[in-house]
Amino acid sequence: MSLDLDTWSAPFDNGDCSSVTPVPYGDLHTVSPYVATPQAAIDLLLSELELTESDFLVDLGCGVGSINITAASRYNTRGLGVDIDPDLVKTATEAVRVAGLEDMVSVRVEDVEVTDLVQATAVVSFLVPRHLKLLKHKLVTFLDSGGKLACYHYPLQGITPFKVVNLKHGLEKNIYIYKKG
C-alpha cells in the first residue's frame, strides 16, 4: 500500500493548533481525550507493527474501535480494545458487531492502568504523555517480553524507539514503533 504523506493530513493539522503545544493536547488533560485516528494513520501504524494472525493487539484507549477492527479485518489479528468512556465502548462494540468480528475483537470499559498485557503481542497507544508516564513500567516490561508497541503522536519518554515514522514533513507528527531489534 502506498501512502502519500505529503497530502495526508494528521489530526489538528490546521491553524487553530499552536506549534508550541504538542499535538493534540500534550499534558493538559488528566484523562486522554478521544480524538479519532485517521484511517490512513491506522493503516500505516498497523503496517509498521507488522501484524500477523498470530498476534494479539491491545488498543489502550480504543475510542470507537477502529484500530482493532482494521487489524482484524486486514491482518486477521485478534484483539482487545479498552477505554474508560462507556459511550465510546458502546459505539466500538456495535462497530465490531456490524463488522462481524465479535469472535476476533472484544471491547471493554477499563482504565488503561489496570489493563493486563499478558496476552498481548502488540499494543497501540494514542495516550497523552501523562498516561504514558504512568504506564511506562508496564510498557517496558511488555517490550522486554518481546512485544511490539506503537505510540501515535507521543513517544514513550526515556525509551529509544526502534523506528520513528514521520506523518507530515516538517512537523512533529510521528508514529513511534518500539520493539526489540
Side-chain angles (χ1 to χ4, degrees), residues 9 15 17 28 78 86 92 113 123 133 153 157 171 180:
S9 182
C17 183
L28 301 177
R78 295 174 306 112
E113 289 185 56
V123 171
K133 183 186 266 187
H153 279 302
Q157 294 298 318
L171 300 175
K180 297 268 181 172

Side-chain angles (χ1 to χ4, degrees), residues 3 5 16 18 27 33-34 42 45 48 53-54 65 75 79 84 89 95-96 136 141 155 162-164 178-179:
L3 179 65
L5 296 179
D16 296 334
S18 165
D27 259 350
Y34 171 67
I42 292 171
L45 185 147
E48 290 294 333
E53 63 184 39
S54 64
Y75 298 96
I84 201 164
V89 169
V96 168
K136 184 176 179 178
T141 300
F162 175 80
K163 183 176 187 180
V164 178
Y178 299 89
K179 62 183 178 179

Side-chain angles (χ1 to χ4, degrees), residues 27 36 39 46 49 54-55 61 65 120 151 159:
D27 259 350
Q39 189 62 49
L46 295 176
L49 280 176
S54 64
D55 280 310
C151 293
I159 307 298

Side-chain angles (χ1 to χ4, degrees), residues 86-123:
D87 292 332
L88 289 173
V89 169
K90 182 177 178 184
T91 301
T93 301
E94 177 62 13
V96 168
R97 186 192 66 73
V98 168
L101 297 169
E102 304 99 303
D103 60 331
M104 296 191 67
V105 176
S106 60
V107 185
R108 65 179 178 230
V109 176
E110 185 171 271
D111 187 325
V112 296
E113 289 185 56
V114 300
T115 301
D116 186 353
L117 300 180
V118 171
Q119 189 178 7
T121 59
V123 171

